[in-house]
């Protein structure tokens, strides 16, 4: 098990175009290329464990993949049965989206993952997919991986999801594209919408109206993707918090998606007092631009809305809350319990170890801003917990144990952290 020792940082002013590429969009590039006729060209694909696993799986299913080091080219050959077990590693997105894609493919497929993924709930996709004819199974009546899928013909649906989850929505959209009629998917709150944007860009007939998405079955294969994957706002956010809690510091994050369903955490940091600017530069599939974050003394905030738009940033936001004046709270975030770790528990326990007073709720927690103390904390195998507490270390010094998981989403995290803050590790 590897650990990192992070030392307190001096002020810094840094500009980076090297933040990890967007994980959600990279997964989708690989998966959606399978539905296209011709060659998809993907620049800046995220070369991290989660997304490389997805890429490997589409290769195992028959796609031809070429990689010249900067552009990945994918040519689909349809989906073929394989003798290999398809290993999604740590990725819930990979596993849930493959459930949607493979439910209608000809053949039998086995999806598995690492010890953490095998504990995460899959019923949220297996149940609605089974209801339209998919033949999916797994432990605990289809809730836990390994999952087995035998492709079947799928019926058109009208489904109302109880969770605001882009993974559920995307799995159902993928199923809808190969079902026997027009389908409707409704969600309680808008979740990230990369799937809809990208598939519409590839020629799929999808209509969106507030929380309702209508999907028409594909009449022909899609137009291949031609995309440069933007930087991941969830990865960028660690550096946004670093600048926001380090006096006289600033950070410019270049080429990041400015999709409103992804930058809500920056808006909350702004409400806390940080000085943040958004500059739109281009738009293809997604709005893309730069985000500038400057230090300012932070004040407490209550976060209880648009939770799906900042769910992945809540651990890092909690570090900003610990450095703010007053009592902050996060509510309606019960989804945190079923992420790569139970993030309500892992955030609260680790903040307590750093001397911060917290209170745990079933659907969130509160954080009393105070003085962070150096501590030995553990990531519990969760990349976002590991990176959040490294950022806390910029204030007070920190030993973070079990940091290998950072490779699932942000392999150059420490390189950037040392370059930007000049902090020793
Ligand atoms: C993701 C959706 C979110 C997010 C995850 C990535 C995606 O999960 O937390 O990191 O790419 O669709 P849910 O769909 O479970 O909300």
């Amino acid at each position: 098990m590897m650990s990192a020792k992070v030392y307190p940082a001096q002020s810094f002013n840094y500009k980076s175009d090297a933040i990890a590429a967007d994980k959600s969009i990279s997964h989708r590039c690989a998966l959606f290329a399978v539905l296209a006729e011709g060659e998809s060209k993907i620049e800046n694909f995220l070369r991290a464990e989660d997304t490389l696993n997805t890429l490997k799986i589409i290769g195992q299913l028959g796609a031809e993949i070429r990689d010249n080091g900067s552009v990945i080219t994918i040519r689909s050959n349809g989906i073929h049965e394989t003798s290999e077990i398809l290993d999604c590693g740590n990725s819930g997105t990979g596993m849930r989206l493959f459930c949607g894609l493979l439910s209608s493919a000809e053949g039998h497929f086995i999806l598995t993952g690492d010890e953490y993924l095998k504990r995460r709930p899959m019923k949220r996709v297996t149940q609605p997919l089974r209801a339209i004819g998919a033949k999916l199974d797994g432990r605990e009546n289809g809730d836990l991986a390994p999952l087995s899928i035998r492709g079947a013909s799928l019926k058109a649906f009208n489904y109302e999801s109880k969770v605001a989850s882009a993974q559920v929505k995307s799995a159902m959209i993928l199923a809808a594209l190969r079902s026997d009629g027009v389908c409707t998917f409704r969600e309680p709150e808008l979740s990230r919408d990369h799937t809809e944007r990208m598939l519409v860009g590839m020629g799929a007939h999808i209509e969106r109206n507030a929380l309702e998405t209508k999907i028409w079955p594909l009449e022909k294969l899609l137009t291949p993707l031609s995309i440069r994957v933007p930087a991941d706002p969830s990865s960028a956010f660690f550096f946004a918090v670093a600048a926001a809690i380090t006096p006289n510091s600033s950070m410019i994050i270049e080429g990041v998606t400015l999709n409103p369903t992804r930058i809500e955490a920056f808006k909350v940091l702004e409400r806390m007092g940080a000085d943040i600017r958004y500059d739109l530069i281009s738009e293809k599939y997604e709005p893309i631009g730069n985000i500038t974050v400057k230090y300012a003394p932070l004040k407490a905030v209550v976060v209880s809305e648009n939770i799906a738009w900042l769910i992945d940033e809540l651990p890092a936001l909690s570090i900003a809350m610990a450095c703010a004046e007053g009592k902050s709270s996060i509510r309606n975030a019960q989804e945190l319990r079923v992420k790569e770790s139970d993030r309500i528990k892992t955030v609260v326990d680790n903040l307590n170890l750093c001397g911060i007073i917290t209170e745990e709720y079933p659907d969130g927690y509160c954080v009393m801003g105070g003085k962070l103390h150096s501590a030995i904390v553990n990531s519990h195998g969760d990349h976002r917990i590991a990176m959040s507490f490294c950022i806390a270390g910029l204030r007070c010094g920190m030993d973070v144990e079990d940091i290998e998981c950072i490779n699932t989403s942000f392999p150059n995290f420490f390189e950037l952290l040392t370059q930007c803050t000049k902090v020793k590790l």
Side-chain angles (χ1 to χ4, degrees), residues 284-353:
K284 183 174 186 189
Y285 305 107
E286 301 271 324
I288 295 168
N290 298 344
I291 302 182
T292 306
V293 182
K294 288 191 186 140
Y295 167 84
L298 299 179
K299 52 183 190 300
V301 72
V302 173
V303 181
S304 59
E305 284 172 4
N306 297 333
I307 295 297
W309 296 4
L310 47 56
I311 191 85
D312 290 344
E313 291 72 69
L314 288 175
L317 196 58
S318 308
I319 304 303
M321 290 173 166
C323 299
E325 197 186 327
K327 176 178 163 181
S328 295
S329 63
I330 295 168
R331 299 309 299 249
N332 301 323
Q334 54 283 351
E335 275 294 298
L336 284 176
R337 297 256 182 221
V338 290
K339 292 295 173 187
E340 286 82 332
S341 68
D342 173 348
R343 287 185 179 156
I344 294 184
K345 193 166 159 31
T346 46
V347 166
V348 161
D349 288 353
N350 281 339
L351 282 179
N352 292 345
L353 288 170

Side-chain angles (χ1 to χ4, degrees), residues 357-390:
I357 299 170
T358 60
E359 193 181 336
E360 182 174 337
Y361 312 127
D363 65 342
Y365 46 90
C366 77
V367 178
M368 288 299 304
K371 192 166 162 34
L372 275 166
H373 291 288
S374 174
I376 302 174
V377 299
N378 193 288
S379 73
H380 299 274
D382 184 336
H383 57 137
R384 299 205 196 279
I385 299 295
M387 290 185 275
S388 297
F389 283 86
C390 287

Side-chain angles (χ1 to χ4, degrees), residues 127-348:
Q127 192 176 32
L129 287 170
R130 276 171 164 185
I132 59 168
K135 296 198 165 56
L136 271 153
D137 215 342
R139 288 176 300 130
E140 304 206 1
N141 194 20
D143 195 26
L144 298 177
L147 299 176
S148 81
I149 304 173
R150 172 163 295 285
S153 40
L154 304 180
K155 294 191 283 289
F157 61 83
N158 190 337
Y159 182 65
E160 179 142 10
S161 174
K162 288 204 176 59
V163 280
S165 159
Q167 294 174 359
V168 174
K169 177 171 61 177
S170 304
M172 294 310 287
I173 291 176
L174 286 169
L177 290 178
R178 299 175 8 138
S179 72
D180 68 1
V182 182
C183 300
T184 309
F185 179 88
R186 233 167 286 108
E187 54 189 342
E189 236 188 72
L190 183 64
S191 61
R192 65 187 65 187
D193 61 357
H194 306 301
T195 293
E196 301 89 302
R197 286 170 181 267
M198 291 170 69
L199 289 173
V200 166
M202 296 172 79
H205 185 181
I206 296 177
E207 287 176 12
R208 305 168 59 192
N209 180 8
L211 303 177
E212 191 173 283
T213 308
K214 242 182 159 147
I215 313 108
W216 277 255
L218 291 183
E219 283 170 0
K220 56 181 175 40
L221 289 169
L222 295 170
T223 311
L225 281 160
S226 169
I227 186 173
R228 178 177 167 81
V229 179
D232 193 319
S234 307
S235 297
F237 194 66
F238 297 107
F239 288 88
V241 172
I245 65 170
T246 310
N248 304 316
S249 297
S250 68
M251 179 80 199
I252 303 176
I253 297 137
E254 294 184 311
V256 64
T257 172
L258 299 178
N259 181 328
T261 64
R262 294 296 304 281
I263 58 167
E264 183 74 2
F266 292 87
K267 307 271 171 180
V268 173
L269 200 56
E270 220 177 330
R271 258 162 52 207
M272 295 176 78
D275 179 359
I276 304 191
R277 216 180 79 192
Y278 310 85
D279 295 303
L280 178 70
I281 289 173
S282 62
E283 182 134 20
K284 183 174 186 189
Y285 305 107
E286 301 271 324
I288 295 168
N290 298 344
I291 302 182
T292 306
V293 182
K294 288 191 186 140
Y295 167 84
L298 299 179
K299 52 183 190 300
V301 72
V302 173
V303 181
S304 59
E305 284 172 4
N306 297 333
I307 295 297
W309 296 4
L310 47 56
I311 191 85
D312 290 344
E313 291 72 69
L314 288 175
L317 196 58
S318 308
I319 304 303
M321 290 173 166
C323 299
E325 197 186 327
K327 176 178 163 181
S328 295
S329 63
I330 295 168
R331 299 309 299 249
N332 301 323
Q334 54 283 351
E335 275 294 298
L336 284 176
R337 297 256 182 221
V338 290
K339 292 295 173 187
E340 286 82 332
S341 68
D342 173 348
R343 287 185 179 156
I344 294 184
K345 193 166 159 31
T346 46
V347 166
V348 161

